[in-house]
Amino acid sequence: MLRISKLTDYGTLIVTHMATTPERVISATELADALGLGLATVSKILKALGRHGLVLSQRGTRGGYVLARPPAQISIADLIDALEEQPFGLTECSANNGTCNLETGCRIATAGSASTPWCARHCRPSASPR
């Protein structure tokens, strides 16, 4: 089973909420109130999403955050990459090369990492399969 952190879980809630009206600029306070989350937590998540190009921030009296691209082009893998400490991968070696003792003789790795094309099709809709 894939386990994600609470921050990634909350990040999924935030992006899903923003995706209902993707062109709308929404403040961190409004998101926190709508989702019942703490403002500090929402702000931390939005900053991480911004660093990874998933949301854009707008300053000013009507400032806030907006999705950086259409919702259909944001995958759960994008959220995991932005909010988890480790890169997304179905296996340890698909996320971090050189971490497996069996890597040199691995049939999955020599086939171009079978998990990576699958992720390209199913986890990352904005990417094209290899």
Side-chain angles (χ1 to χ4, degrees), residues 74-90:
I74 298 174
S75 70
I76 190 68
D78 293 328
L79 294 173
I80 291 170
D81 281 343
L83 298 170
E84 293 288 328
E85 293 178 13
Q86 299 293 322
F88 179 78
L90 293 179

Side-chain angles (χ1 to χ4, degrees), residues 30-115:
E30 189 176 348
L31 282 166
D33 290 344
L35 298 170
L37 301 173
L39 179 57
T41 300
V42 171
S43 295
K44 179 178 181 176
I45 291 167
L46 288 168
K47 286 179 186 173
L49 295 174
R51 282 192 303 272
H52 284 82
L54 299 176
V55 298
L56 302 172
S57 64
Q58 296 182 7
R59 294 180 181 237
T61 56
R62 295 188 180 182
Y65 294 84
V66 65
L67 294 178
R69 54 188 190 238
Q73 293 180 7
I74 298 174
S75 70
I76 190 68
D78 293 328
L79 294 173
I80 291 170
D81 281 343
L83 298 170
E84 293 288 328
E85 293 178 13
Q86 299 293 322
F88 179 78
L90 293 179
T91 61
E92 183 67 27
C93 61
S94 68
N96 299 302
N97 289 337
T99 58
C100 178
N101 293 334
L102 304 174
E103 216 168 322
T104 56
C106 180
R107 297 178 91 190
I108 292 173
T110 57
S113 186
S115 65

